[in-house]
């Protein structure tokens, strides 16, 4: 999508071999900075410390990270040992999003198909590009399927009234390679001339909604309003939300959805007020192993300082951190929660929209279910 | 309750006549400052700009404000005209909390009972003290009734394990004259030697949980953990919450509960996970007129800058404000929401615990229902 009118992806290969370029998302929306990553260590840090974040984006970045791993391995004594160690290092950076492991495993499998380090390196580069391109293509397809959903809601509304869509966290293009998952239908509707207005959940503690979603919607000219995470229930109760669309970091083959902490609360409010609650995801986000998401999906606990402290733009123009809680008060920081399938109206995937139910998912992705 | 070991109320008469003293709650937890209010204008500003906040506290402050109004009226040409104007001014400061109007109306009714300005002034002073004393006594009684609830939960738990209580916003002693509503049972349990641990919702956008509840629990030595507002659903899903207790700014005679924005979301999560959800209130918080809380209770909309900007303690030791959203992004700031009675397990009042249902409330407060 666009930054100051120029098209960008979130991660792409630099012109120089062995350089991966990313948008340093920690700096947004107050500064737009591109960062060069030149080693697997730098890629791992960028994922762990959230220079890049979001299911598809960290998958694609890890894919490129494996290309850097292959470069390193190709000049080492033991290609396989280096590759394995680097793969483990990348997988360990973030525990909840399944795309990370999926991308690393795909690279390992692709490289295992060929014999010589030089070939493996070529395969790794091509696979990294393919992962990124497929992510962008999947998100574009999600946009097209989700557009039909928005179009139907719009046709049922009085002329000219916008469709109000609530989203949580950032499942925008910044969370993928391009287009985004939850935002793809919004961008598609906006491009198709359907008036949309987005309620952007702030998304404490890291404020990905207030910082990233608001910024990217603004860059694309999509009307939006940032609200505290507490507000969604009230908005739905008052009929001010037509549709909720969120992303997901991992969705079980039974339809349970792990996403940014607080998503479950919005799903409960949507059900209580009969507001459709959709989750948008490329199929790389499915976990084909875990049956019970609440019991089975590991939930990342991050440092308490993300709750006790918050950074924003000071009037001096410097991004400045302030303390929010009294000295001596503990904080806890669960990064995700799991929304049970029963609360999800549907899943918007690159192949179309299906129910958040094992049977419906199996019909949409028969080959994945068969390979379990 | 205690501040650095010394007992305080939130509002009290100064030694000098015509001076009301409050704790300036905007400065907490980073500075403890007492402010003198010397006119109705200053009282109105203190309520509107949230130097004091919380249902009982603004009621008691308005009660004292009416005493200052009586002082002003007693030296004016037309006592009644001044009093009426000042009453309207105070009522207009905050729209949602019913205690404010209740306290002002009580003062007007009390003063109407006597004839001469001097008598009216004496009555106003006595009534202001009575409103504050009764608020403190009601909160103490709420604590005793709520203690029995916590005691039962504790008896059902393995020995030594704390009772985990989640609360939202600040319905602590800072929100009343003393003890608090939601916190009164917690303080009573802590004093009775029952181990309690409080999950403190941060409560965006004004962070009354992170700032005020955490601070007052810390001052009383009650174990607590501050979490983002998004976290409660996950905690309940994982069995980490035994009980939710919140306060309320207005509760209908049918049991619908207006409270700080986001309360409704926690009530939904409590029901989904069969966690008891109690609301603590002195009966001054009941609205004996409105039948349907969702349709009828006015919801205050505050300035969007409370969402777009946030202040905290900078490492320099200065409280510092930072911007959280991109330039050009709108914000909306609904301050309260309404939790329907069907989601409320019970109401903890100064007379005991009743169901959040018109019949049960009518049995507990027959004279109030009769006077409707």
């Amino acid at each position: 999508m666009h930054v100051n009118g120029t098209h960008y992806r979130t991660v792409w290969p630099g012109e120089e071999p062995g350089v991966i370029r990313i948008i340093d998302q920690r700096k947004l929306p107050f500064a737009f900075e591109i960062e060069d990553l030149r080693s697997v260590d730098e890629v791992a840090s960028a994922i762990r410390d959230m220079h890049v974040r979001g299911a598809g984006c960290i998958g694609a970045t890890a894919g490129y990270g494996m290309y850097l791993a292959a470069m390193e391995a190709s000049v080492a004594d033991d290609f396989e040992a280096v590759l394995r160690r680097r793969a483990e290092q990348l997988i360990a950076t973030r525990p909840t999003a399944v795309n990370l492991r999926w991308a690393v495993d795909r690279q390992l499998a692709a490289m295992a198909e060929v014999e010589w380090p030089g070939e493996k390196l070529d395969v790794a580069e091509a696979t990294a590009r393919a992962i990124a391109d497929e992510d962008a293509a999947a998100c574009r397809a999600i946009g097209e399927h989700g557009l039909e959903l928005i179009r139907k809601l719009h046709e049922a509304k009085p002329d000219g009234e916008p469709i109000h869509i609530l989203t949580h966290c950032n499942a925008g293009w910044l969370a993928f390679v391009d287009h985004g998952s939850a935002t793809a239908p919004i961008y598609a509707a906006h491009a198709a001339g359907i008036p949309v207005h987005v309620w952007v959940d702030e998304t404490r503690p890291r404020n990905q909604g207030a910082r990233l979603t608001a910024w990217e919607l603004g860059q694309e000219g999509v009307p939006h309003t940032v609200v505290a995470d507490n507000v969604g229930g009230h908005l739905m109760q008052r009929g001010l939300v037509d549709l909720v669309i969120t992303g997901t970091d991992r969705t079980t083959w039974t339809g349970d959805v792990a996403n940014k902490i607080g998503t479950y609360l919005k799903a409960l409010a949507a059900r209580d007020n009969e507001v459709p609650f959709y989750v948008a995801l490329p199929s790389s986000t499915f976990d084909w192993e875990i049956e019970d998401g609440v019991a089975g999906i590991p939930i990342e606990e991050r440092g308490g300082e993300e709750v006790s402290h918050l950074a924003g733009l000071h009037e001096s123009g410097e991004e400045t951190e302030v303390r929010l809680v009294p000295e001596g008060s503990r904080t806890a920081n669960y990064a995700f929660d799991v929304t049970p399938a029963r609360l999800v109206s549907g899943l918007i995937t690159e192949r179309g929209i299906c129910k958040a139910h094992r049977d419906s998912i199996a019909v949409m992705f028969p080959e994945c279910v068969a390979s379990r």
Side-chain angles (χ1 to χ4, degrees), chain A residues 289-300:
Chain A
E289 304 295 328
I290 293 176
E291 181 167 1
D292 179 343
V294 174
I297 297 177
I299 298 298
E300 179 178 5

Side-chain angles (χ1 to χ4, degrees), chain A residues 110-290:
Chain A
M111 284 187 254
E113 296 285 313
V114 294
E115 197 166 350
W116 302 107
E119 290 176 294
K120 286 178 190 283
L121 185 56
D122 290 346
V123 163
E125 186 179 7
T127 303
R129 286 183 195 270
I131 289 171
D133 289 345
E134 289 169 23
D135 183 87
C139 286
R140 175 182 281 276
I142 286 168
E144 284 160 15
H145 299 302
L147 168 61
E148 295 314 308
L149 194 65
I150 296 174
R151 196 189 297 281
K152 272 182 206 147
L153 289 169
H154 185 243
E155 284 166 0
K157 260 208 162 181
D159 231 22
E161 281 195 21
I163 297 299
H164 297 280
I165 300 168
L166 184 138
T167 192
H168 189 71
C169 197
N170 175 263
W173 73 268
L174 292 169
F176 289 86
V177 174
D178 206 350
H179 309 294
S181 59
T183 54
I186 294 167
Y187 291 133
H190 184 65
I194 299 172
V196 286
H197 165 257
V198 184
W199 294 108
V200 178
D201 272 0
E202 174 181 51
T203 318
R204 283 281 292 146
R206 288 183 66 97
N207 285 33
Q208 292 96 331
R211 293 181 71 110
L212 303 179
T213 304
W215 179 78
E216 60 167 272
L217 291 172
Q219 289 286 335
E220 294 291 331
V222 178
H224 62 282
T225 306
V226 178
V227 289
D229 301 307
N230 285 321
V231 176
H234 174 73
L235 293 176
M236 292 188 224
Q237 212 176 36
R238 298 280 166 128
L240 299 171
V241 180
D242 298 301
L243 173 66
V244 181
I245 312 180
T246 75
T248 165
D249 295 82
R250 189 188 297 219
T251 291
T252 65
W253 57 275
T254 58
D256 293 338
V257 172
N259 192 44
K260 181 60 51 193
I261 190 80
T263 302
Y264 168 48
L265 294 170
K266 295 304 143 63
L268 286 167
R271 186 184 57 172
D272 202 45
N273 295 285
E274 298 179 359
V275 173
F277 181 94
Y278 281 83
V279 175
L281 70 162
S283 55
S284 57
T285 307
F286 277 111
D287 184 319
W288 302 107
E289 304 295 328
I290 293 176

Side-chain angles (χ1 to χ4, degrees), chain A residues 204-205 301-309 325 329-333:
Chain A
R204 283 281 292 146
E301 271 193 73
R302 297 181 59 85
E305 73 284 353
E306 290 186 352
V307 178
S308 63
H309 292 71
V325 306
S329 287
R330 278 186 56 211
T331 54
N333 186 9

